[in-house]
Amino acid sequence: MSTIAEMELPAQEFALRKTLEHVPEAEFDIVRVAAHDNDQVLPYLWATADDFEKLDEALRDDPSVDEVTLLEDLGDERLYRMNWVEQIRVVIHILVEEEATVLNLRGKENRWRLRTLFPNRDALSATYDFCEETGLTLDLRNIYEMSDQRHGLFGLTEEQHETLMMALESGYYDVPRDATADDLAGDLHISHQAVSERLRRGHRSLVKNALAVGPGDGRK
């Protein structure tokens, strides 16, 4: 069964180490990453920083980066395409050796957070062993198995998925609303409090697993 793992790597052992050292307030959110061979990784990433001129200079001087291209400039954030050519062994292993998929990858301050879909638990174990053998630090923050249902990708329970879908279909999210929490409670034959809890926990899981990988996303 497929396995999702949330992992953490120290920034000094990963790409963009020099950039994060010179621009410590910078944040990077990777929206796509692919390995073309065993020597290069091609990420598309959103970046935020207080001074983009300083960030661009740091990227040009970073030995782990090659061929930086600015794709979009929205003022307070920018989209870049670049090649990573150093300190990428763990990503190469995940993408090439284990044929896994990086769902989220975020760099901030002194760490990178990864959320990865492995084809099975053995692939995750092999990645952990690879890091130990090569002297890399890999901190496993959370591990869970994918169910055979699509909602498992976002960490939703069956009850949360059912409630969210019913809320969507009944017009709970419409403006103005066509259904209330009491309506959902009646249809599901549960209490108003139970509906509110399912919605709250379900919303949190969606935001955490679909949008955010960063500080605070491990809180209960």
Side-chain angles (χ1 to χ4, degrees):
M1 182 178 292
S2 298
T3 299
I4 292 179
E6 296 172 0
M7 305 172 289
E8 186 174 299
L9 293 166
Q12 64 266 27
E13 297 180 12
F14 199 62
L16 298 182
R17 174 176 66 88
K18 290 293 186 180
T19 298
L20 285 170
E21 286 180 359
H22 287 90
V23 192
E25 81 281 1
E27 296 185 28
F28 299 101
D29 285 290
I30 280 68
V31 295
R32 178 185 173 189
V33 58
H36 291 285
D37 50 44
N38 290 326
D39 299 313
Q40 296 183 68
V41 170
L42 177 63
Y44 288 71
L45 58 87
W46 286 102
T48 59
D50 294 338
D51 185 340
F52 279 109
E53 289 187 7
K54 183 178 179 182
L55 175 64
D56 287 341
E57 180 181 355
L59 288 171
R60 287 193 297 268
D61 294 338
D62 195 317
S64 70
V65 178
D66 188 23
E67 298 182 15
V68 179
T69 302
L70 175 62
L71 301 177
E72 294 285 348
D73 185 350
L74 302 182
D76 58 346
E77 61 180 348
R78 290 181 175 182
L79 177 65
Y80 293 90
R81 182 184 65 225
M82 62 186 68
N83 284 340
W84 287 349
V85 295
E86 291 184 8
Q87 296 181 290
I88 52 174
R89 289 180 296 171
V90 63
V91 175
I92 293 291
H93 178 87
I94 289 172
L95 296 175
V96 177
E97 300 298 326
E98 304 304 334
E99 298 182 347
T101 301
V102 176
L103 301 174
N104 300 101
L105 177 57
R106 184 181 187 190
K108 180 181 180 182
E109 296 175 343
N110 61 354
R111 64 179 179 175
W112 285 85
R113 297 289 297 273
L114 297 87
R115 185 167 177 267
T116 304
L117 174 62
F118 289 95
N120 49 56
R121 182 63 75 97
D122 289 343
L124 170 58
S125 297
T127 298
Y128 188 83
D129 292 342
F130 170 82
C131 289
E132 284 202 325
E133 293 167 2
T134 54
L136 296 173
T137 306
L138 182 66
D139 184 10
L140 295 176
R141 308 292 293 182
N142 192 23
I143 303 170
Y144 56 94
E145 304 295 339
M146 278 278 289
S147 71
D148 59 356
Q149 300 294 323
R150 184 172 54 185
H151 64 263
L153 180 64
F154 300 105
L156 297 171
T157 66
E158 292 184 11
E159 291 79 8
Q160 290 166 2
H161 180 263
E162 178 187 22
T163 304
L164 289 170
M165 290 305 299
M166 180 171 288
L168 177 64
E169 293 166 359
S170 65
Y172 178 81
Y173 296 114
D174 293 350
V175 180
R177 283 180 173 171
D178 290 331
T180 66
D182 286 331
D183 295 330
L184 297 177
D187 291 338
L188 292 166
H189 305 292
I190 58 178
S191 68
H192 180 282
Q193 180 179 351
V195 166
S196 297
E197 182 175 324
R198 286 187 189 181
L199 290 173
R200 178 174 57 82
R201 292 179 182 271
H203 293 155
R204 183 181 182 277
S205 291
L206 284 175
V207 172
K208 171 188 172 185
N209 295 316
L211 301 178
V213 176
D217 59 8
R219 292 177 298 176
K220 300 298 183 183

